[in-house]
Amino acid sequence: MIEKHWRVVTPRSVCDFFWDEVVKYPSCEEVPPVIYTNKYYLISIFRDGLFLVAAVKADVPPLLVMEFLHRVVDVFLDYFGAVDEMTIKENFSTCYQLLEEMMDNGHPLTTEPNALKAMVMPPTVMGTLSSKLTGKSTSVADDLAEGMISSMPWRKAGVKYAANEIYLDVIEEVDATLDSRDGTTIACEVTGMVVVKCRLSGIPDLILTFTDPKVFDDCSFHPCVRYNRFEQESVVSFVPPDGTFELMRYRLAHVAKVTAPVYCQSQMLYDGTPVAAAKGGRSGGVDFGRYTLTLGFRPSSSLVTPGQAKGATAVEDVAVTVPFPKGVRTVTLTANVGTVSYDEAAKVVKWHVGNLGPHLGKAPQLQGRVSLGGAKLEEEPPVHLDWKVPNSSVSGIGVASLALTSEQYRPYKGVRTITRSGKFVVRSS
């Protein structure tokens, strides 16, 4: 959709080569992040249904390029609220202006949203109307942002709020692969992040203390964090940017397996109807199969709720995605709870269940007919689960204190914990 060149012009033929590599894999998530050609290294990420590809000639750290591409998506989300084809086309010029400011001659320059918003104004209705009437763009500032020449480029100067408040979200994601027969965990990993929404006046200096920081492993921080102090005292000391930002990421150490608050059982039965040889089918083939998928709430799970024993009280935003093989002709499924949609081109069934809990009398079930191409499936399709449990965590981590120094006011503070699924897949053995 858009392309930006630094130093030299890269031919568009690299996009054709990249797409030829993409179609070799069953899903976009399985495409390797680094693809080598005779002249370029193609480093890519896949987010929100879009590929971002960087073509580089020299040897560079791949993680640096991937982090920059992720930062581009984060900035677009902050500016436009969504990253899709229509949004990018509607904000074409703003996207190019942001890319121009974020990288200089092939080197990352300004990636902080606060500094970017001081140079490239976010799109507004009045700004769009004014540019169309006058023919001049009003989104680019004439002066350099104040933060560019300070020791804290992530924070604007002179920030004032009538009501000072700060909110922290401790979010943990469970990436797991389960066996659909007995629910056994085949592989599991738990990662977490701390997202901060800051509305504080002046230059606040904050000290965040956790109840048990020993559970953290492989931590990464926002540039505002004083890393040496965290290494010495296990506290997070920082001057926050204004607005919403990701303070830190971590991985839980020593996680063998996690018992999810949702269980899933799927089964494919075949009618055994032979396909006539005159229709081009193979002897012993089948025309149809019957697919059944059952969800349930598991009250005893690995999640920790403050003030309660282990287990979840309710599971929110439960959704199921079932990708069927390309050889399947069509799928007709119905559910007793929620809504079901089927993408005929991608052969993907999406089932939005809603909330699960002990109050739900009947178990949610998805069932129906699968039209086959004359042969049984080699294996049952995997089931991708999405779910979220508020006020819970896997690690049991909590915020012990959040102290403010260098300012005289007393802000309102709010903390909440959320556990949600990451790449949560249930496979048949």
Side-chain angles (χ1 to χ4, degrees), residues 278-323:
K279 296 181 180 180
R282 290 179 294 178
S283 178
V286 291
D287 275 325
F288 299 100
R290 187 161 188 84
Y291 184 76
T292 305
L293 190 149
T294 305
L295 291 178
F297 172 74
R298 183 181 284 116
S300 58
S301 64
S302 301
L303 305 187
V304 179
T305 304
Q308 300 181 13
K310 284 190 174 183
T313 56
V315 186
E316 299 180 355
D317 300 336
V318 179
V320 178
T321 303
V322 184

Side-chain angles (χ1 to χ4, degrees), residues 147-310:
M148 296 295 295
I149 55 177
S150 71
S151 59
M152 293 183 294
W154 56 84
R155 186 167 182 85
K156 297 182 294 185
V159 179
K160 292 184 180 180
Y161 288 104
N164 294 281
E165 52 192 9
I166 183 169
Y167 301 95
L168 275 70
D169 285 345
V170 182
I171 305 171
E172 293 186 348
E173 289 188 350
V174 181
D175 298 332
T177 303
L178 278 64
D179 190 341
S180 65
R181 307 299 179 184
D182 52 6
T184 305
T185 302
I186 301 173
C188 182
E189 185 179 46
V190 180
T191 58
M193 69 183 81
V194 179
V195 179
V196 180
K197 183 178 181 181
C198 176
R199 296 173 57 87
L200 299 178
S201 305
I203 308 295
D205 201 329
L206 300 172
I207 300 176
L208 175 63
T209 306
F210 293 99
T211 54
D212 187 14
K214 294 181 180 180
V215 300
F216 293 154
D217 192 15
D218 295 339
C219 296
S220 61
F221 297 93
H222 189 276
C224 68
V225 176
R226 303 179 179 95
Y227 184 71
N228 290 335
R229 186 164 183 182
F230 179 80
E231 286 287 299
Q232 297 171 3
E233 306 176 25
S234 297
V235 298
V236 182
S237 175
F238 62 103
V239 176
D242 185 50
T244 303
F245 68 99
E246 185 179 289
L247 178 65
M248 62 178 291
R249 277 184 174 270
Y250 60 88
R251 183 173 61 88
L252 294 188
H254 313 298
V255 176
K257 66 176 183 178
V258 175
T259 303
V262 179
Y263 68 85
C264 171
Q265 294 178 342
S266 62
Q267 187 180 32
M268 175 72 81
L269 299 176
Y270 298 95
D271 293 344
T273 305
V275 179
K279 296 181 180 180
R282 290 179 294 178
S283 178
V286 291
D287 275 325
F288 299 100
R290 187 161 188 84
Y291 184 76
T292 305
L293 190 149
T294 305
L295 291 178
F297 172 74
R298 183 181 284 116
S300 58
S301 64
S302 301
L303 305 187
V304 179
T305 304
Q308 300 181 13
K310 284 190 174 183

Side-chain angles (χ1 to χ4, degrees), residues 74-90:
D74 293 338
V75 169
F76 284 3
L77 283 172
D78 194 5
Y79 265 73
F80 313 129
V83 179
D84 52 36
E85 183 178 357
M86 185 61 65
T87 303
I88 292 176
K89 287 181 178 179
E90 290 176 351

